[in-house]
């Protein structure tokens, strides 16, 4: 210091330079401190809003006023531009791409329409528009039960709260068309007071209980998967107790592997439908995404659904969970690369390599099960008996169930590729075993050789081959969308307008999201 | 400081305490410095010995004088105590455990004997003792060609250097019994001057060239796998050019997937043998370990064979590569846990889970191919024609090739489990397709139903069912081991005794390792 003070004595202006310089630095530090404080304040506003929200207010936009970042990222599930090698978020017609599916599901709703999935934003619209829900003309008409709404909307916990669970499941799907109008959103997974994760669907609680597990003991990290497991699971409609309607049930009592659930359904002698061609008692796997994810390495390591599908992101200095739930491949930087320090393109190619392998077996199995159905049909035609057919139809049932289990939940070949190829291999085994037994049976009926299969090279040809009338389906669906659906929307708007806004500026909030331009 | 000097003025003895204390600390620091220097010196001796070793000296013990740690860890491959869920290093009789294998390989050497693999230390002993090499009575007798020695010993590059490659491959296996006596070791993979990794087998260089790759451009990390790929690969004996003997060839020209190699063999109309029951033109997959490893995630990430099977270890302050090549599960702490920060038991259970899945398909496929062989045999019996059988036999050939590709190299379900289940799934498809065609063909010959399979419930029963005489095989093998092998050893000892020891203390070195106590 002495040399500096000597210099100041020599040149007095140097003292002023030092003084002002120091002042400048202190001022800049002050600015930084202010910036940090401001960000903190913003975070406080973002995470602890003093707005009161009703737990059963089904309007995502109302919750969104308090949690704008989460709401806006949720709204981004409207975006359908993402496309990876094996999937698309743009509602592609899978039956057109692969008409074998029409035959596999002959006699069941899926043979009418089956698409790649769009985001949560479209949950209501897609269900109304799809041919599987038919074209009801009134509340007591149509092919599907009320239970079909269960996974589609925060109106569901509201209705369950108002009517009771069993009562909700009762009646036709169309009976609740004006009640269930807000697509999957905030209230499905969150507590409105604390924003804690919350289970709103009884089927998951009951499914866990059937396995001897108490969902109340789940950790926060487990809850980050369990809220998804309310819907992204295998389920069936248990109609055995009429007083409970078509009661949504998860077949987890024996466990969650493909063999466990197969055994469960076999023990109940449950079937989803009777196949139109083979007359086999069929099972439709829904989307056992949660069960399969748990068998893969990410599940084994305790990585949650949200870790990859809803990664942490930040905006304006606030860290929040991205609610644009979609493929992790759409946001590799925020999902995969948090743990995997590899190039994004390499990570993508690793996923694709496994998907290609699973796809290779899937493409082998499908035409074999199609053939098995037609060969069984031929055997019936030639006078085969119930007793002769029983073991064969059981093999067909198991083959298709296993195939469906492996392919029905779209992420399966990323979640647990080894298990999926194993399951598809066992499906193939059973399909071919059925076909070998059929070859022998057909020979005893005097038929040796390849059974003829009609032209099923397009969706329309395949649908006509199983007795569907695509023109009529289109026509009646259009009528439904132009008559009943607008009535439902009108009723819902009236109901919503009577609800307290409870949030300042509530008037500007749209009553609910609906993809109406298509109707 | 001033206060301390004040205190010293008060109490003079305090100065001495400080002085001696400081001396003590400096002394201890000196000790540490000495320790470090000593370790450095030891490392220098260990890594740059001034001992001259002949590149073609086949005696591992001679190299071992210069590299004691590597040699001693190599010698530890003598240890056969390691056992995991699906493998054992104790030469377990696989035909006894799974008599289906006897049928699958009927007409081929593997139906005589097939065991779990022991370590490199036993390379020579095991080849002499196994029934597949038969019981030669002299140099020009026995079932196998000289080529069978190629992967067994550093005597091989020595002989190839002396005689030329094609000349080495010529003649019967027994013709080189006294020449090839030192088990796989130092000279197989190392340059004796620099200890750099070195390719000693021409088949790998030629195989890479067939794929358009120059092995001279391999990185050091790639070489840490390529030295293993000299042997742990799929190969066949090309006998098309008589002047080259049974020339060891890797079928890599079309690529390394199961379909690529299948196409390669099909194009050549190559077969390893004709199946004794079905008369199908069969392929024996050897052990495509390298090819399969490259398709899995470790291979994709550039992890080398040595990284997991020969992890770095340290002893006496020296870091070296563990040459006790065995399952990474035998040293999870040094192999897996270098990258994977999970509990050893958890890592093991992850490997086992995938192995179990691959095993599930393997266990499905095997009995189906066995049945296909017998059903084809029945068709021949009932007068099926070559033309009728051709497509069926091709399916059987492909089914078994694919099964064998997936199971022949023991690490496959750890290296690339998704690819292995895929391959087994495709094997299953082809096996069952063959069986369905056979069911139809048999029906045209008047036979409908399940073809009878003889009692093959034990190794001995299965061997007798395919016309082998286990008693006679045992008897002739014993004679060979008691007469010809001791002669070979005697000749080899005489030759070794004439070699310059070139290493001080060479007299104490055993001439070569041999597991003679068994003979």
């Amino acid at each position: 210091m002495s040399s500096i003070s000597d210099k100041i004595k020599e040149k007095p202006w140097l003292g002023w330079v030092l003084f002002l310089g120091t002042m400048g630095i202190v001022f800049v530090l002050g600015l930084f401190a202010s910036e940090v404080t401001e960000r903190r304040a913003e975070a406080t506003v973002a995470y602890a809003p003093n707005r009161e929200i009703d737990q059963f207010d089904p309007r995502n936009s109302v919750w969104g006023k308090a949690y704008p970042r989460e709401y806006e990222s949720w709204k981004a599930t409207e975006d359908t531009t993402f496309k990876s090698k094996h999937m698309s978020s743009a509602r592609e017609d899978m039956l057109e791409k692969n008409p074998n599916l029409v035959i596999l599901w002959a006699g069941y709703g899926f043979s009418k329409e089956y698409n790649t999935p769009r985001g949560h934003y479209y949950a209501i619209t897609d269900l109304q528009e799809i041919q599987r829900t038919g074209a009801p003309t009134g509340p007591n008409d149509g092919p599907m039960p009320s239970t079909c709404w269960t996974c589609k909307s925060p109106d569901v916990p509201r209705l369950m709260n108002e009517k009771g669970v069993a009562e909700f499941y009762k009646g036709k799907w169309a009976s609740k068309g004006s009640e269930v109008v807000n697509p999957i959103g905030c209230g499905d997974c969150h507590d409105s007071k604390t924003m804690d994760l919350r289970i709103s669907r009884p089927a998951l609680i009951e499914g866990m209980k059937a396995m001897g597990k108490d969902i109340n003991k789940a950790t926060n990290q487990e809850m980050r998967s369990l809220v998804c497991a309310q819907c992204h699971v295998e389920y069936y409609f248990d109609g055995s107790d009429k007083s409970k309607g078509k009661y949504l049930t998860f077949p987890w009592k024996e466990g969650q592997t493909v063999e466990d659930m197969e055994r469960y359904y076999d023990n109940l002698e449950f079937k989803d439908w009777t196949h139109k061609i083979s007359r086999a008692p069929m099972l439709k796997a829904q989307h056992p995404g949660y069960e399969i994810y748990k068998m893969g390495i990410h599940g084994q390591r305790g990585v949650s659904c949200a870790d990859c599908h809803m990664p942490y992101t930040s905006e304006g200095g606030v860290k929040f969970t991205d609610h644009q739930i979609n493929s992790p491949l759409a946001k590799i930087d925020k999902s995969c690369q948090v743990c995997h320090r590899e190039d994004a393109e390499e990570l993508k190619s690793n996923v694709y390599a496994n998907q290609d392998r699973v796809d290779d077996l899937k493409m082998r199995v499908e035409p074999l099960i199609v053939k098995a159905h037609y060969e069984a049909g031929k055997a019936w035609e030639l006078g085969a008996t119930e007793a002769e057919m029983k073991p064969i139809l059981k093999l067909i049932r198991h083959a298709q169930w296993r195939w469906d289990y492996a392919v029905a939940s779209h992420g399966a070949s990323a979640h647990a590729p080894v298990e999926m190829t194993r399951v598809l291999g066992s499906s193939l085994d059973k399909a071919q075993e059925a076909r070998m037994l059929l070859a022998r049976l057909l020979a005893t009926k005097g038929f040796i050789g390849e059974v003829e299969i009609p032209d099923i090279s397009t969706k329309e040809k395949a649908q006509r081959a199983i007795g569907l009338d695509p023109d009529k389906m289109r026509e009646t669906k259009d009528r439904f969308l132009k008559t009943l659906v607008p009535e439902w929307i009108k009723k819902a708007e009236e109901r919503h307008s009577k609800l307290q806004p409870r949030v300042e500026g509530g008037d500007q909030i749209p009553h609910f999201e609906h993809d109406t331009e298509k109707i």
Side-chain angles (χ1 to χ4, degrees), chain A residues 309-340:
Chain A
H309 294 276
M310 307 175 70
Y312 291 117
T313 184
S314 73
E315 208 179 73
V318 178
K319 182 181 161 192
F320 67 102
T321 301
D322 181 357
H323 281 60
Q324 188 191 5
I325 299 162
N326 56 2
S327 167
L329 295 185
K331 36 198 166 194
I332 294 178
D333 57 334
K334 294 194 177 58
S335 55
C336 318
Q337 287 179 328
V338 170
C339 299
H340 301 285

Side-chain angles (χ1 to χ4, degrees), chain A residues 443-516:
Chain A
T444 65
K445 310 291 174 198
F447 182 91
I448 296 172
E450 198 74 39
V451 169
E452 208 190 333
I453 289 176
D455 181 359
I456 52 167
S457 58
T458 67
K459 172 186 172 184
E460 183 163 345
K461 283 177 184 169
Q463 287 187 327
R464 294 198 189 276
I466 61 165
L468 291 177
D469 182 344
D471 299 328
K472 200 183 157 201
M473 289 194 303
R474 213 172 299 120
E475 199 186 297
T476 53
K477 186 55 129 180
D478 277 354
R479 197 183 318 132
F480 160 73
L481 291 173
K482 278 178 191 143
T483 56
L484 204 53
V485 170
E487 276 178 40
W488 291 355
I489 294 176
K490 205 172 151 229
K491 271 192 204 165
E493 274 172 352
E494 282 165 20
R495 191 178 60 254
H496 282 165
S497 68
K498 287 179 207 146
L499 287 175
Q500 290 286 78
R502 300 221 189 197
V503 180
E504 67 271 36
D507 288 344
Q508 280 77 52
I509 298 170
H511 291 308
F512 54 93
E513 292 81 8
H514 199 278
D515 181 28
T516 43

Side-chain angles (χ1 to χ4, degrees), chain A residues 321-363:
Chain A
T321 301
D322 181 357
H323 281 60
Q324 188 191 5
I325 299 162
N326 56 2
S327 167
L329 295 185
K331 36 198 166 194
I332 294 178
D333 57 334
K334 294 194 177 58
S335 55
C336 318
Q337 287 179 328
V338 170
C339 299
H340 301 285
R341 307 183 73 174
E342 275 84 25
D343 178 75
E345 282 308 307
E346 190 183 342
L347 290 168
K348 207 187 278 183
S349 78
N350 297 144
V351 173
Y352 288 169
N354 283 343
Q355 287 178 336
D356 287 346
R357 288 175 178 128
V358 175
D359 207 52
D360 177 78
L361 286 190
K362 176 181 111 71
M363 300 301 278

